[in-house]
Structures are given as C-alpha cells and as structure tokens.
Amino acid sequence: MSLLRRISNLFTRLKVDRDIDSELRSHIEMRIEENMDSGMSAEEARRDALIRFGNVSSTKEQVIGADAALTLYSIWSDIRYAFRQLKRNPGFSCTAILVLGLGICASVAIFAFVDAVLIKPLPYQNPSRLVSLFESTPLGQRFHLSYLDYLDWKKQNKVFRSVEAYHHTSMALNTTARVQLVDGATVSSGFFRALGVVPVIGRDFHDGEDGPSGPRTVILSYAAWQNRYGGRSDVLGQSVTMEGVPHVIVGVLPQKFHFAPAGAAEFWTALHASSDPNGRGEHGLFAIALLKDGVKLESAASDMSSIAERLAKQYPDSNDGRGATVLPLTEVIVGNLRPILLLLLSGAVLLLLIACVNVSGLVLVLSENRRHEIAVRGALGASRIRLIRQFVTEGVMLAAAGSLVGMCTAYGGIRLLVQLVPVDILASMPYLRGLGLNLHVIGFAVAVGFAMAALFSFTPALRLSLTDLRAGLVESGRSGARTAWRHLGANLVVLELCTAMVLLVGAGLLGKSFYRLLHVDIGIQPDHLGIMRLRAPHSRYSKDEMVVSLARRVMEETGRLPGVQSVAVTHGVPVANVAGGNTTFQIIGRPQHGTGYESSSRQVGVTYFSTMQARLVRGRYFTESDDVSKPRVMIVNQSFVRKYFPGEDAIGKHIRYDASSPVIEVVGIVGDIKEGPLDAEVQPVLYTSFNQEPDNAFFVVVRTARAPQELAKSLEETVHRIDSDILTFNAETMEDRIHHTQSSYLHHSSAWLVGGFAAMALLLGVVGLYGVIAYSVSQRTKEIGVRMALGAQRSSVYQLILREAGWLTGIGILAGLVCSVAAAFLMRKLLFGTQPWDAGTLAGVAVVLGFSALLASYIPARHAASVNPVEALRTE
Amino acid sequence: MAKNDLQGTLDLLVLKTLSQMGEMHGYGIVAHIQQASDDLLRVEEGSLYPALHRMEQRGWIAADWALTQTNRKAKYYKLTAAGRKRLEEEEKNFEHLVKGVRAILRYV
C-alpha cells in the first residue's frame, strides 16, 4: 500500500473500519454455514463459531493495530481524546501547564546565559588555541607585563605561533565641540590576525606599524563607525586627534567582534611603546598568544616559566620573583562567572525537577480517578498497549503545552534579565549581546520537553501495567495500588521539601553573604563621600609643580562648594575590581635575595586619610610640609606591616623602589582599606605623598554634609571653571561605587536569582504537600467517618492528619538539612563572611519551611475534621 | 490436534498456502491448513487476521474483495513477488530449525 493511499485512508477511516468488520463477520458466517452443514442446529453452530473465533473486538483492535494507516488515525484520535481530557479538567490542566511553564522558563532562561557565556566558543578563529599571558608575582598570578618582557617572550618562546600585546585605555578625543574621553585599546600589530578577525572595510595594522616611529593609525569599532561617522565608507583616510596626536583611520572592525578584556573600546590604535632599556619595570600590558598546533597548554606554561626564570636571572633588579602565567583565553574572559552560572543552572534544574514531580503527582492522581474509565475500556477489549499509548499521548501533550508556555516566557525573561545588568557591566561582558533563543537553547528546551513527556507518560503507564485492570471496576474498598500511590506521593513530597530547603538555604546564605559584603569594614566611612576623576593634559601641566598647584586649586575651589566639609586628592580610590597599581621595592638595610618585595602603591593628598576617615594606627598623616623639597615619606597599611615588618616597629624604616629612586621613610601606619574587590583580602599598600609624587590624572574626594549625589554637577563645573581642557569623568558617590563593583553585583544578582528560585520552590513544595495530604484525606474520608461515628473527637482527627504531614515535613527538612549543607559546601567559593553550615540560616529556613508546611496541611486537616460521619458512611 | 504455537510459522503457513492454492480468503486459509495437516495444526482466527493485515502492509500479499462460490462477499488474499521471496526465506529458515531440533532430539 503506497504511503499516499495510507494517508488517504486516514480520511476514509470509516470505510477501512467497515472492511475489517465485514471481513471478520464473513469469516464467522462461513464457519456457521459449515457447522450447520455438518449437522449442528443454527444456534449451536453460531455459538461454536463465536467460541472458536474468540474475542471479536479484541481481534479487531489487533487488526487495526496491524494497519499502518489506522495506526496513524488512532494516534490522531488519541490526541483529540487527550485534548478533551485536558479540557475536562481545566484546573488540573492550567496548574500543570503553568507549573511546567515556570520550571521550563527558569531553566531555559538560565541555560541561555550558560550557553552564551560558557558553551559558545569565543567568536575568534581558533578559540581553543588562544591563551592569555600574564606576569605572576609573589602577590598573585595575573599581573601586567612590561613591554620589554613582552618582546622577550615573543622572541624566545617555542610554543606560540604569535604573541600579541594589548591594553585597555581611555583616550582624550578632540571632537568639534570639546575634548571627550573615549574607550580605546592599544594593540600590537598582529593582534587581530591572531584572533582571526578581518576588518569589514579598510585594512588591518601592517607588521611593524606598532614600532615607536610607526605611522599613527587607528581602526574603528563597528559601533564607533556607525555612531560617530554614520557608517560612511569615506571614513577611511580621515584623521582623528587623540591625546593631541592626529591618527589616520585605516579600517573598521566587524559588527560581531568583541574582546571582553578591552571592554567596549571604540578606537583601536597600534602600540607605540619604545624599547627603552630602563623600562623593564614599567608594567602596563596584557598579552594573548596563539598556541602552535599540537602544543599543549602545560608545555606552553613550562616553556614560558623557563623564559621568565632566564629573564629573572638576567635582570634581577626588575624581574626577580616574576614568573609567567598561561591561561586559556576563555578562562580569563568568563572564568569568574562559571561558578555563579553553574549554581544558577543547578537552582533552575532543581526547580524544574520540583515542577515535574508536582505535575507527575497530579497526573497520577488524575489517572487514579480514571481507573474506572480505564477498566471499562480494558474490559471492552482495548489492549494494555493501547491504553498505555493513551497516557503517553496525554503526557506528551502536557509536556508540549508546558514547553510552549515556558519557551515564550523564557524569551521575555531573557530580555528582562539582560536589562537588569548594568550597562557598564554589560560592556565588560560583550558575549551577552548574542543572548537569545538560539539553536543550542532551543535544543536544550526540546530535550527537557522530551524528558518531561517521558516522565508524564510513563508514571501513569507504569502504574497501569503494575495493577490489575479489572480491579478498577470494583470501585469501593481500599486497593493496594492506592496505598502504593500514597507512599509514592509521600516520597515525592519529601523530595520536594528537601529541594526547596536546599534552594532556600542557598538563597539565605547568598543573601547573608551579600549583606556582609556591603557591610564589610572597608576601612573608611563610605557615606557622604563624592568622588570624581579628572585628567589634566600633559601639554599644559608638564611639570610636577604645575600638577601640585592645580590639585591645590581644585581642592580650594571645591572646598568652597556648599555643604563640603573636606576635600582630598588621590591617585586611586578604594573599592575597585582590581586593586592594581603595583610596585616593587627594596627595604634598606635588608639584603636583596630571592623574591623581591611587592605592594600596591597609592599617591594621596595631605587631607586624604582624614577626609576618608581612615584609622590611624601609629605615627602621623602627611602634612603640607611633605613636599618635593623634603625627604620622601610614606604611610603603609597594617597588611604591609604584617607582611614585611612582622614583630618590628615599621615607623622609621626606609624603602626605595629601585637603586635609581630616592629613599622613602615610613612615618605612619593606617588600618587596612579595601583598595581592591570587597570580597578579597586586603593586600599590602604603601601610600606616598601626592605632593612628592604627583600625577596628571587623579581623583577628587569630597566629604559633604548633604547628599553626595547633588555634588557631581557642581564638581564638574568647578573643575572646568579652573581649566576647560581638563577631562572630568566618573563622578559618583562612594556608596554607589561599592554597590556597582563587579563583586557586589555578582553577589547581589545571584542572591536575588537564587532567592527567586527558592520562593518558587517553596511555593511548589508547599502546593505538593497540600496535594498529597488532601488526596490522602479524600481517600480516607470513610475511615475518618467511621472513627468519628465511633466517638473520635475532632482534635484527634486533626492530630491524625497533621501527624502524617508532620512526619513528611520532618523527614523532608531533615534530608534538606543534610543536602543543603552539602550544596552550600560546594558553593562555598561564592560565600563571603558566611560558613556553609551557618546555623542561623539553617534554623531560619527550617522554621519557615516547617511553618509553611503546617499551613498547607492545616487546610485538608480542617476539611477532614469537618467530615460528616453520616455522609461519609453513606458513600460506603 | 496441536495449536500452532511455533512463533513465526504462521506467516510461513499462510504464505505457503497462498503459493499452493492461489487466491484465498481467511476462512479458506484456516480450513486448508487444518485439512492439509490432517487436523494436526489449527490456526487461531484471533491471530490470523492481524497477521494477514501485517503481511499486506509489508507487501507480501495483496487483497481484494470478491464473491465466494456461495455468493458471499469475502476478502481474497494472493501472494505478491515480495511474498514469494519471503516464502523462500521462511522455508529455508524452517528447514534449518527442523534440522537443528531433530539433531538435538537424536543426540545421545
């Protein structure tokens, strides 16, 4: 039979059906005729024929089953039947579909992030062969390297096809209106070739264009080309002035290109560092490299280490104690997001699990209520397979509807989540731009849908195949199957409560970490502080004295602003994503051997510590008289003392950066100030006097009696009144700065997301418990009626029901305690100032869960206690 | 009288019957197998019709409605080329099976 005919048979089903009928009928009649021929009576002949034939309708079902066209047709009718079933129980259907939609939405949305961040390889030619190179120091693994070290690494290595340097920078761009600060990056000439990126128009940097005397050229990002030049093709060859130097535009990068470590850079210029032999200590570059084919990361790392060792021997002054770090580029770009995303994904999957368990519980209850119907269909000749297929169809439909709802909400959810990410953080995560329902994500959703369909069709089908169909015809009496379901349901509820507990504890711990993080002692008083960065052009402020007097003038003028209590200047402000600003030094009177000393350094004004309200531990602050004419002085933090002068009096000790720089005396010790991320240990920091080591770029810090947000505008105006060529940027309050750091953002968002999951999990868990208890009550109505008829008090009925709920809740909470401590232990890296076994959180969550569970079981218990014994017994 | 409970031999019996007798209806097949086997084999009607439809789906046999000698409408089945090929295979398999079983029975 051709396929076409089979399909056309779908529409002529009645005819095919009739054919089978008449075929079977004619068979029986032929038998009757023959029986009568052999001498039987008419009735006897018919009886014998029917007995010999067996069950006609079951045979007919089997013939239909053998008929492919009819198989297709019966699937269609199953679907229609399943649809009618769902429509007949709107409460069940809506609940199930919504619950599933919720679970799918959460898991798909989070998976989309996981896919964008962790699964999709970077948009470069050989993403798996790209590595990041850093210099390691005794302080850590990932530090800038110096230009000369970069050149030596490039020349001496045997493992890389190319080594390219880059560094992210802000550039002063001369526009027609005024000088504007723009994001830029400076790269070595082979940078884009290493990534396998080709400009959409124009050209890449030529080899050697990154030399000190190379022509000044710039490549635009696609966004800059569109926004600043309207996407015109005659942009090539035009000149832009950056940092006072004219650059020629030679190319435009592709729209999809992004390089997260350089942020949202608009202008890409070639590196023009000179190979000044004294510059080996000046660190300002990062590097990427492309592994040669067949070279493993480990061998590359060992090659680089041996080069670094050689350089350390060759240049002990600058390179002592410096090694090389080789990391996969993906690790550098997305490494710190991995644990959080995996945590969220597990949260979402747990939620999905609870949703599925709840719905399969509902499906079971429904199948339980349909026992009679199924038994009737079975008795009428429907085969077991046929009945199971009905359940499978219903399960698939349920899963499909849930998936559809989930996918649609996930689409909106993803949009929403992206909008919740602050713009500047999004700029540092350009890979999130491609977020959406792509093939991977849809594949994931489909896989989840299939898993659910399997679950929902096989739970009732399994139940069906385990029980005797005929038992369903006998409606009364407590069947073994029901007790079995009650046990199963009880187990499911314990699982749900346990999962909810894990999520709640996770959310609690993350919330507590976030609170601790925001309230961690940062060593200063962060309220009522306004900060703004400014940069004076080198051309106008070329001498140190000019910068110092500019700083004085800025402080004076801003000090006159209304509400301002004190003003300070500093080269760096506390709470940054990276502490940075490291320097190496020697301690006078201590032999130089082995690893060198290293510390963060900050140049701060006289009033800095008093404005910040830092703690002076010993010694003194800087004074106005600590200027260039006086011996150099510095203040160190307590970590510095602990690390370099343990058990000694640090005051009066002397250090110098290197043999060529002046000696500096320690005159004071301050309490540790968090210069780096909130959740990182404070590193040794040395503070020198701004008046002795001024810099063209510095921050103004203002303590004000009013709300510090009001200051931003007047701060800018004041500075521009002094000199309109000074660039001002990043005016913010200290408290905003604390809230907007990457670490607090990550803690904040993960706490909220896991909190959201936990709330949904709690809701679903409680609904599940309610369902099981309510079902149990409905099954025991008769028993309760008998008990009450025999004189049981209402209170004892309450006790009966609540005891059951109490047991389930107790076991669930107990199991949840164990699992959540284990889970919290796995995510301990994300916790800050909180232990995984934090007793307060565990107890709090247990109480919340216990109370909610009690509430959920109180309603059915009340229902049970109000059973009318007469009514209950009458149903017997 | 033995019931035909050797799995798979039903197809063989039906195909063989059709190859020997030409067109036949279901009842005729049942009757023929019973007669030809001297009442040793009896085909169950309940499994015959699903088998006939299955074989028709697979293209081994083709069916058409026609009138019987007693002027009754019945569905007649006949062997197709594919069915003939199938029959050869089934016969070969069966010979193997019988040889094997006999060897086991005679093993001392």
Side-chain angles (χ1 to χ4, degrees), chain B residues 3-108:
Chain B
K3 278 191 175 178
N4 167 39
D5 50 6
L6 272 176
Q7 282 289 325
T9 42
L10 179 59
D11 285 8
L12 173 60
L13 296 178
V14 171
L15 291 173
K16 192 72 193 176
T17 303
L18 290 178
S19 84
Q20 290 163 343
M21 311 294 292
E23 284 196 349
M24 263 194 139
H25 50 64
Y27 185 79
I29 296 171
V30 173
H32 172 82
I33 291 175
Q34 197 172 340
Q35 273 171 13
S37 69
D38 276 344
D39 258 8
L40 282 175
L41 298 177
R42 184 191 273 191
V43 174
E44 273 194 81
E45 282 92 341
S47 42
L48 174 73
Y49 284 98
L52 282 173
H53 277 253
R54 186 163 32 77
M55 288 192 271
E56 191 191 347
Q57 291 293 334
R58 292 182 182 168
W60 298 343
I61 55 179
D64 250 319
W65 289 90
L67 288 180
T68 63
Q69 286 153 350
T70 55
N71 241 358
R72 178 184 298 286
K73 239 183 107 183
K75 202 174 178 187
Y76 278 81
Y77 294 92
K78 64 169 184 243
L79 214 55
T80 63
R84 214 167 290 284
K85 216 186 223 167
R86 180 72 197 176
L87 174 61
E88 271 173 42
E89 281 168 38
E90 293 254 336
E91 266 182 294
K92 218 184 285 166
N93 287 347
F94 186 76
E95 289 303 332
H96 275 292
L97 181 71
V98 169
K99 229 187 258 175
V101 173
R102 194 166 289 148
I104 299 289
L105 293 179
R106 287 181 185 160
Y107 184 78
V108 187

Side-chain angles (χ1 to χ4, degrees), chain A residues 512-529:
Chain A
K512 197 164 177 179
S513 299
F514 181 55
Y515 180 84
R516 288 269 164 91
L517 191 74
L518 286 187
H519 294 83
V520 68
D521 178 20
I522 55 170
I524 58 168
Q525 279 297 322
D527 56 318
H528 291 94
L529 278 182

Side-chain angles (χ1 to χ4, degrees), chain A residues 1 5-6 18-20 22-35 49 52-53 59 62-63 66-69, chain B residues 25-28 30-31 34 42 44-54 56-57 59 65 68 70 72-75 77:
Chain A
M1 215 186 281
R5 216 176 110 201
R6 283 188 204 185
R18 259 203 318 268
D19 274 3
I20 294 171
S22 53
E23 182 180 14
L24 299 185
R25 213 174 328 110
S26 79
H27 180 105
I28 292 170
E29 281 177 4
M30 281 191 253
R31 170 80 69 200
I32 294 172
E33 275 169 24
E34 197 180 307
N35 279 348
R52 282 180 71 163
F53 195 88
T59 304
Q62 284 180 40
V63 174
D67 210 309
Chain B
H25 50 64
Y27 185 79
V30 173
Q34 197 172 340
R42 184 191 273 191
E44 273 194 81
E45 282 92 341
S47 42
L48 174 73
Y49 284 98
L52 282 173
H53 277 253
R54 186 163 32 77
E56 191 191 347
Q57 291 293 334
W65 289 90
T68 63
T70 55
R72 178 184 298 286
K73 239 183 107 183
K75 202 174 178 187
Y77 294 92

Side-chain angles (χ1 to χ4, degrees), chain A residues 708-719:
Chain A
Q709 321 41 322
E710 293 170 9
L711 259 178
K713 205 158 174 66
S714 44
L715 270 180
E716 261 178 80
E717 282 165 7
T718 313
V719 170

Side-chain angles (χ1 to χ4, degrees), chain A residues 476-544:
Chain A
S476 69
R478 273 174 61 165
S479 70
R482 284 179 199 194
T483 337
W485 147 234
R486 257 178 51 205
H487 284 306
L488 181 62
N491 289 338
L492 293 183
V493 162
V494 168
L495 183 72
E496 283 176 32
L497 290 177
C498 174
T499 317
M501 175 101 187
V502 170
L503 282 168
L504 281 171
V505 168
L509 289 175
L510 286 170
K512 197 164 177 179
S513 299
F514 181 55
Y515 180 84
R516 288 269 164 91
L517 191 74
L518 286 187
H519 294 83
V520 68
D521 178 20
I522 55 170
I524 58 168
Q525 279 297 322
D527 56 318
H528 291 94
L529 278 182
I531 47 186
M532 187 183 68
R533 195 162 188 210
L534 49 91
R535 201 172 73 168
H538 276 279
S539 49
R540 298 262 290 286
Y541 300 88
S542 52
K543 295 213 174 79
D544 282 0

Side-chain angles (χ1 to χ4, degrees), chain A residues 424-466:
Chain A
D424 49 338
I425 288 187
L426 204 59
S428 69
M429 302 175 180
Y431 35 83
L432 287 186
R433 266 186 249 148
L435 202 64
L437 295 183
N438 58 29
L439 270 183
H440 287 175
V441 180
I442 290 173
F444 173 81
V446 168
V448 169
F450 271 120
M452 287 192 327
L455 184 69
F456 301 145
S457 29
F458 288 116
T459 27
L462 201 69
R463 258 271 291 98
L464 187 69
S465 58
L466 288 178

